[in-house]
Amino acid sequence: MAQKPSIPKGTRDFSPVEMMRRQYIFETIKSVFRTYGFAPLETPSMENLSTLLGKYGDEGDKLLFKVLNSGDYAVGLSDNEIRQASKICEKGLRYDLTVPFARYVVQHQGELAFPFKRYQIQPVWRADRPQKGRYREFYQCDVDVIGTRSLLCEVELVEIVERVFKALGIRVALKMNNRKILFGIAEAIGHADKMMDITVAIDKLEKIGLEHVKAELLERGLSQEAVDKLQPILELSGNNWQKLDKLSEVLAASETGLKGIDEMRTVLGYVERSGVTLPVELDLSLARGLNYYTGAIFEVKALDFAIGSICGGGRYDDLTGIFGLPNLSGVGISFGADRIYDVMCGLELFPEEVNCTTRVLFVNLGEAEETAALPLLRELRDAGVAAEIYPESSKMKKQMEYANRRSIPLVVIIGSQELENGSATVKDMRTGEQRNIAFADLATTLCSE
Amino acid sequence: MAQKPSIPKGTRDFSPVEMMRRQYIFETIKSVFRTYGFAPLETPSMENLSTLLGKYGDEGDKLLFKVLNSGDYAVGLSDNEIRQASKICEKGLRYDLTVPFARYVVQHQGELAFPFKRYQIQPVWRADRPQKGRYREFYQCDVDVIGTRSLLCEVELVEIVERVFKALGIRVALKMNNRKILFGIAEAIGHADKMMDITVAIDKLEKIGLEHVKAELLERGLSQEAVDKLQPILELSGNNWQKLDKLSEVLAASETGLKGIDEMRTVLGYVERSGVTLPVELDLSLARGLNYYTGAIFEVKALDFAIGSICGGGRYDDLTGIFGLPNLSGVGISFGADRIYDVMCGLELFPEEVNCTTRVLFVNLGEAEETAALPLLRELRDAGVAAEIYPESSKMKKQMEYANRRSIPLVVIIGSQELENGSATVKDMRTGEQRNIAFADLATTLCSE
């Protein structure tokens, strides 16, 4: 009895239509990355567990997929040792692209030209509980520059966000903040020690509202006085420049805070002068969870589709320190391909040509007809048009159904009548319209459409 | 103490230069696949072990990478059960693209339009002993059509081979044979029962020579008489048509053999008429190891570089039977990306532009100069030219070194003199040549080069 085939939960097959759409997204993003001088990089799917463990917190360690040592992995081990995965597994699947990137930079530091600008588009794996929109295998799409503190890099990332989403046709807004400003706020309200608690709580502002954030801050051990001081900061109004002006009074005593304000002003100044039309908003409640951010943080949301953040990132000052190369500052962002895909499907933004793989199908009506069709088919392919002939002379109905199911827009029919006239009948499957085109003109006519 | 970072043996990082070259190969192959109406497909990296086990022989089963169940995998299991990987691992990493493709076709048969034409370019993993040219993670690049017995598909694959290698600039020869002919030969020498032994032995003809093949055949239990009958068949001379004519006499009593000859004649006839200039040779010693081939088999070798087969494949009549869908005939070939890469490096076939990611670097000489550079940079990017500015106003020497290490061909210098004149100095890093271009003409001039 044959087994009924299935795939592991949380994983996906990508059908041709899905693949065409995904490739369209990746190609669009890649071509923008390239325009800015970012170069592609790929790292192995498996990393040594020593590279991965301890980099994503205790929770992350549990979510690593571990790969069993090959060969006689259990020889010479006690039963107890085998129960500890560490003895039977030395490799794990990539959990994100950031840690392998840091590992790569440290391992190859001698060969690299710094600042090193790379992009990386590869799948990652997480042993998370699968649920709607959360998968155990999914692609990340990262772009980073490492080895410079120049704020021009932040500006380039803003421009990249603008170009990518303009090319994809998605209207977005970019929110920015700066970790140094967040630290300054923590200092200003007398809780420099509770920076993490404060950022975690205020990051939820949009989701749970001010009152709940205040309650959480009290729970996390902030004094009522500190919370009272925080509220007006979170409620600062006006445009970015007005907010920064007011903030520089509030944070006057915090050197780090003022540094953050200064960075923010520099970046926003560049952005304004460069003619970026993307709305960029300073949002003091934006914190983003990842601990390694130390400067600018970014988050992008679609304006016409509710799905959460579709792109985000920030500056980190010591990503490579854990692998022995301290003080290498970098900044990067990551595009959420799955969510971008959902937004584009929801808003029907994929261009029509992305939904079809073959543009022209030659119907196959027998040997003589086939013989006439093959050179025409070759002409089309020579011109780069995706074309095929139905490989068997099956019933016309079956072949037309095939064209329909494959969403092939143009069908070329060469029957005995057409053979005699030296011209093909071309049917547009979208409109049902039919026309006659002489064999000699077929390739040029269909190419130019 | 920070750990010294490394990657698991048999795996690789792909640097930007390697990636650019690999992408060039994959993009070239993909665009040919698309021209023939093949659509992209991706399957998960992890498959259920039940899908993978027993599909690659005992040796293959041992080479599967198994993924440890996540969570408390060992709870409730006896020590003995844990020693059997089957209880603690339910998933394995993809070993090739063929079995997942068969699994996909069976699982999604209701949604697919047959014949189903797909290509798939993804990594696979094998726990083989790593050695030169053999990796534990490597990409496969497969193209298959399933659901038709039409020999037009074989012809299309020959054309695809021709187009791909012509586009890459590699001179190749294609060898073909047919499993039915091999079976006919086994019948003709009185050993239909030993078809596998015969194919395994004669597959080595080129490597070990006729005498050793004969010795191996005797060892494998063939009679001296059978071996004596085989020799003249392997030594058939003449062009393809002459070989087939002689063969049809030798195999006159084998229905299957004659069927194979007939298929071969049909394919070669189409190939000749279609204007293919690629040399196609009928090679009766070509067998290819994979058991599931039942008709045509293909193998491609580079003419100017010794590296073994760089592409191969064949027709199979029952790939999906193991998953419960019998009698679905298909044919496909696989391109060996790593070997193609080595051939192209060895023969220096990569176009120059593949070796550089950024075309234009703006040197950064300070705030005023930077302010003049940024709008020019933007113009170039708008025109799709990969351009960047050095993010810090470091020493000129450092910035020029960066351009050299990144193989950036054009450097734009805007210093105080250039600011005054409203024109930039453009240095060609390949020739050392310098010229002056007015700011207003810079983008159009550099775009058109």
Side-chain angles (χ1 to χ4, degrees):
Chain A
M1 179 59 201
Q3 40 189 328
K4 190 186 176 324
S6 66
I7 53 177
K9 60 181 177 181
T11 69
R12 290 169 289 175
D13 288 317
F14 294 113
S15 72
V17 171
E18 290 166 321
M19 278 299 294
M20 291 289 286
R21 293 175 176 171
R22 290 171 62 86
Q23 287 184 353
Y24 174 75
I25 293 172
F26 289 134
E27 287 305 319
T28 304
I29 293 174
K30 259 159 63 168
S31 81
V32 174
F33 289 169
R34 291 233 177 119
T35 305
Y36 282 78
F38 288 87
L41 177 76
E42 277 189 15
T43 60
S45 301
M46 295 187 277
E47 293 274 354
N48 293 320
L49 276 176
S50 56
T51 300
L52 301 174
L53 285 167
K55 309 302 188 300
Y56 307 106
D58 291 348
E59 199 48 42
D61 282 356
K62 284 188 201 139
L63 299 183
L64 291 174
F65 275 113
K66 301 182 183 74
V67 177
L68 203 65
N69 293 347
S70 50
D72 295 328
Y73 64 89
V75 168
L77 292 180
S78 74
D79 291 333
N80 253 342
E81 283 174 320
I82 291 174
R83 280 191 180 267
Q84 299 159 358
S86 61
K87 294 288 169 116
I88 56 174
C89 298
E90 281 155 7
K91 296 178 289 293
L93 295 178
R94 189 168 52 217
Y95 180 89
D96 71 0
L97 303 178
T98 307
V99 167
F101 171 55
R103 191 266 310 146
Y104 177 86
V105 168
V106 176
Q107 193 177 333
H108 297 271
Q109 51 186 291
E111 307 145 37
L112 300 179
F114 289 100
F116 179 54
K117 304 173 83 171
R118 84 87 174 81
Y119 71 85
Q120 192 169 353
I121 301 177
Q122 289 190 277
V124 301
W125 295 268
R126 297 184 184 178
D128 240 326
R129 181 192 297 274
Q131 59 184 57
K132 188 178 172 339
R134 191 198 285 163
Y135 303 100
R136 294 185 142 190
E137 174 178 47
F138 58 97
Y139 274 71
Q140 287 193 337
C141 182
D142 283 18
V143 62
D144 288 83
V145 52
I146 194 164
T148 173
R149 293 177 193 278
S150 167
L151 295 172
L152 272 179
C153 303
E154 274 82 346
V155 180
E156 288 202 342
L157 293 179
V158 172
E159 288 188 28
I160 285 174
V161 166
E162 172 172 71
R163 276 189 206 259
V164 164
F165 290 109
K166 193 181 269 178
L168 293 174
I170 303 177
R171 293 202 316 131
V172 298
L174 173 70
K175 290 187 172 180
M176 278 191 73
N177 198 2
N178 190 300
R179 275 288 170 95
K180 296 187 181 81
I181 292 179
L182 286 172
F183 182 78
I185 292 174
E187 274 194 316
I189 65 172
H191 273 298
D193 58 318
K194 292 218 175 285
M195 156 109 182
M196 276 316 295
D197 289 289
I198 296 170
T199 55
V200 168
I202 68 177
D203 205 24
K204 300 178 187 165
L205 187 61
E206 199 177 330
K207 225 185 235 168
I208 64 176
L210 185 62
E211 290 313 309
H212 286 96
V213 169
K214 282 160 71 177
E216 181 168 335
L217 287 166
L218 292 172
E219 270 172 43
R220 284 174 178 269
L222 268 76
S223 65
Q224 185 65 49
E225 194 199 342
V227 173
D228 288 344
K229 273 189 185 166
L230 181 62
Q231 177 163 355
I233 300 176
L234 293 180
E235 291 177 332
L236 280 182
S237 61
N239 66 27
N240 296 333
W241 298 105
Q242 291 164 335
K243 280 187 200 168
L244 287 170
D245 286 346
K246 290 180 203 157
L247 205 55
S248 60
E249 293 165 25
V250 183
L251 306 188
S254 164
E255 198 186 328
T256 307
L258 291 177
K259 181 89 190 341
I261 292 172
D262 198 43
E263 289 181 6
M264 197 69 212
R265 280 184 174 139
T266 305
V267 172
L268 288 174
Y270 271 117
V271 166
E272 277 193 10
R273 285 193 301 279
S274 76
V276 166
T277 58
L278 167 78
V280 178
E281 188 204 340
L282 169 63
D283 180 347
L284 295 173
S285 76
L286 178 66
R288 293 191 66 83
L290 288 165
N291 286 349
Y292 51 72
Y293 291 137
T294 50
I297 40 185
F298 305 94
E299 192 164 278
V300 180
K301 284 194 175 161
L303 292 177
D304 307 315
F305 198 83
I307 200 170
S309 148
I310 54 177
C311 175
R315 178 171 285 275
Y316 40 84
D317 277 344
D318 198 26
L319 199 62
T320 54
I322 198 145
F323 296 116
L325 187 64
N327 299 320
L328 207 55
S329 187
V331 57
I333 53 175
S334 182
F335 287 81
D338 286 310
R339 284 188 176 174
I340 292 173
Y341 183 95
D342 289 344
V343 171
M344 294 196 60
C345 281
L347 300 175
E348 296 183 8
L349 294 175
F350 288 106
E352 198 206 329
E353 63 269 25
V354 172
N355 297 314
C356 82
T357 44
T358 293
R359 265 187 61 71
V360 181
L361 174 75
F362 284 75
V363 162
N364 191 331
L365 295 174
E367 216 172 303
E369 293 83 354
E370 187 188 274
T371 303
L374 288 179
L376 301 172
L377 185 60
R378 197 170 173 87
E379 273 186 69
L380 279 172
R381 287 169 172 166
D382 283 343
V385 175
E388 59 183 284
I389 183 166
Y390 197 83
E392 298 166 9
S393 56
S394 310
K395 282 196 180 130
M396 186 70 157
K397 185 160 172 273
K398 191 176 173 190
Q399 300 190 43
M400 296 307 266
E401 266 173 24
Y402 173 82
N404 262 328
R405 294 192 63 175
R406 292 271 323 269
S407 303
I408 299 175
L410 297 172
V411 171
V412 175
I413 301 160
I414 301 177
S416 51
Q417 188 70 50
E418 283 84 0
L419 265 187
E420 217 166 276
N421 299 341
S423 69
T425 301
V426 177
K427 180 169 182 178
D428 189 314
M429 300 296 280
R430 297 157 296 191
T431 61
E433 215 178 319
Q434 295 203 162
R435 58 195 155 142
N436 251 274
I437 305 179
F439 289 166
D441 303 329
L442 190 75
T444 30
T445 309
L446 298 188
C447 281
S448 59
E449 281 181 6
Chain B
M1 179 59 201
Q3 40 189 330
K4 191 188 175 327
S6 66
I7 53 176
K9 60 180 177 182
T11 68
R12 290 170 288 175
D13 287 318
F14 293 114
S15 72
V17 171
E18 290 166 322
M19 278 300 294
M20 290 291 284
R21 293 174 176 174
R22 289 172 63 85
Q23 287 184 354
Y24 174 75
I25 293 172
F26 289 134
E27 287 306 319
T28 303
I29 294 175
K30 258 158 65 168
S31 82
V32 174
F33 289 168
R34 291 230 179 120
T35 305
Y36 281 79
F38 289 87
L41 177 74
E42 278 190 15
T43 60
S45 301
M46 295 186 277
E47 293 274 353
N48 293 321
L49 275 177
S50 56
T51 299
L52 300 175
L53 285 167
K55 308 303 187 299
Y56 307 106
D58 291 348
E59 199 48 43
D61 282 355
K62 283 188 202 140
L63 299 183
L64 290 174
F65 275 113
K66 300 182 183 74
V67 177
L68 203 65
N69 293 345
S70 50
D72 296 329
Y73 64 89
V75 168
L77 292 180
S78 74
D79 291 334
N80 253 341
E81 283 175 319
I82 291 174
R83 281 190 179 267
Q84 298 160 357
S86 61
K87 293 287 167 112
I88 56 175
C89 297
E90 281 155 7
K91 296 178 289 291
L93 294 179
R94 191 166 52 216
Y95 180 89
D96 70 1
L97 303 179
T98 307
V99 167
F101 171 55
R103 191 267 309 147
Y104 177 86
V105 168
V106 176
Q107 192 178 334
H108 297 271
Q109 53 187 288
E111 307 144 37
L112 300 179
F114 288 101
F116 178 54
K117 303 173 85 171
R118 84 88 173 80
Y119 72 84
Q120 192 168 353
I121 300 176
Q122 290 190 276
V124 300
W125 296 268
R126 297 184 184 177
D128 238 326
R129 181 191 298 273
Q131 59 184 58
K132 190 179 170 339
R134 192 198 284 162
Y135 304 99
R136 293 185 145 190
E137 174 177 47
F138 58 97
Y139 273 73
Q140 287 194 336
C141 183
D142 283 18
V143 61
D144 288 84
V145 50
I146 193 164
T148 173
R149 292 177 193 280
S150 167
L151 296 172
L152 273 179
C153 303
E154 275 82 345
V155 179
E156 288 201 343
L157 294 179
V158 173
E159 288 189 28
I160 285 173
V161 166
E162 173 174 70
R163 277 188 205 260
V164 164
F165 291 109
K166 192 180 269 178
L168 293 175
I170 303 177
R171 293 200 318 129
V172 297
L174 173 71
K175 289 186 172 183
M176 278 191 72
N177 198 1
N178 190 301
R179 275 290 170 95
K180 295 188 182 81
I181 292 179
L182 286 171
F183 182 77
I185 291 174
E187 273 194 317
I189 65 172
H191 273 299
D193 57 319
K194 292 218 175 286
M195 155 107 183
M196 276 317 293
D197 289 288
I198 297 170
T199 55
V200 168
I202 68 176
D203 206 23
K204 302 178 186 164
L205 187 61
E206 198 176 331
K207 226 185 238 168
I208 63 176
L210 185 62
E211 290 313 309
H212 285 96
V213 168
K214 282 160 72 176
E216 180 167 337
L217 286 167
L218 292 172
E219 270 171 44
R220 284 175 179 269
L222 266 76
S223 66
Q224 184 64 50
E225 194 199 342
V227 173
D228 289 343
K229 274 189 185 167
L230 181 62
Q231 176 163 357
I233 301 176
L234 294 180
E235 291 178 333
L236 280 182
S237 62
N239 66 27
N240 296 333
W241 299 106
Q242 291 164 336
K243 281 188 199 166
L244 287 170
D245 286 345
K246 290 180 204 158
L247 205 55
S248 60
E249 292 165 24
V250 182
L251 306 188
S254 164
E255 199 186 329
T256 307
L258 292 177
K259 181 90 190 338
I261 293 171
D262 198 43
E263 289 181 6
M264 198 68 212
R265 281 185 173 138
T266 305
V267 172
L268 288 174
Y270 270 116
V271 166
E272 278 193 9
R273 285 193 301 278
S274 76
V276 166
T277 57
L278 167 79
V280 178
E281 187 205 340
L282 169 63
D283 179 348
L284 295 174
S285 75
L286 178 66
R288 292 190 68 83
L290 288 165
N291 285 349
Y292 51 73
Y293 292 138
T294 51
I297 40 187
F298 304 94
E299 192 165 277
V300 180
K301 285 193 175 161
L303 291 178
D304 307 315
F305 198 84
I307 200 169
S309 147
I310 55 177
C311 175
R315 178 171 285 274
Y316 40 83
D317 277 344
D318 198 24
L319 199 62
T320 54
I322 199 145
F323 296 116
L325 187 63
N327 299 321
L328 207 54
S329 187
V331 58
I333 52 175
S334 183
F335 288 81
D338 286 309
R339 285 188 174 174
I340 292 173
Y341 183 95
D342 288 344
V343 172
M344 295 194 62
C345 280
L347 300 175
E348 296 182 9
L349 294 175
F350 288 106
E352 197 205 329
E353 63 269 24
V354 172
N355 296 316
C356 83
T357 44
T358 293
R359 266 187 60 72
V360 181
L361 174 76
F362 284 76
V363 162
N364 191 332
L365 296 174
E367 215 173 302
E369 293 83 354
E370 187 189 273
T371 302
L374 288 178
L376 300 172
L377 185 60
R378 197 169 173 90
E379 272 185 71
L380 279 172
R381 287 169 171 165
D382 283 342
V385 175
E388 58 183 285
I389 182 166
Y390 197 83
E392 298 166 9
S393 55
S394 311
K395 283 195 181 130
M396 187 71 158
K397 184 159 174 272
K398 190 176 173 190
Q399 299 190 42
M400 296 307 265
E401 266 174 23
Y402 172 83
N404 263 328
R405 295 193 63 175
R406 292 270 322 267
S407 304
I408 299 175
L410 298 172
V411 170
V412 176
I413 301 160
I414 300 177
S416 51
Q417 187 68 50
E418 283 84 0
L419 264 188
E420 218 167 273
N421 300 340
S423 69
T425 301
V426 177
K427 179 170 182 180
D428 189 314
M429 300 295 281
R430 296 158 297 191
T431 62
E433 214 179 319
Q434 295 203 163
R435 59 196 154 141
N436 250 273
I437 304 179
F439 290 165
D441 302 330
L442 190 76
T444 31
T445 309
L446 297 188
C447 281
S448 59
E449 282 181 6

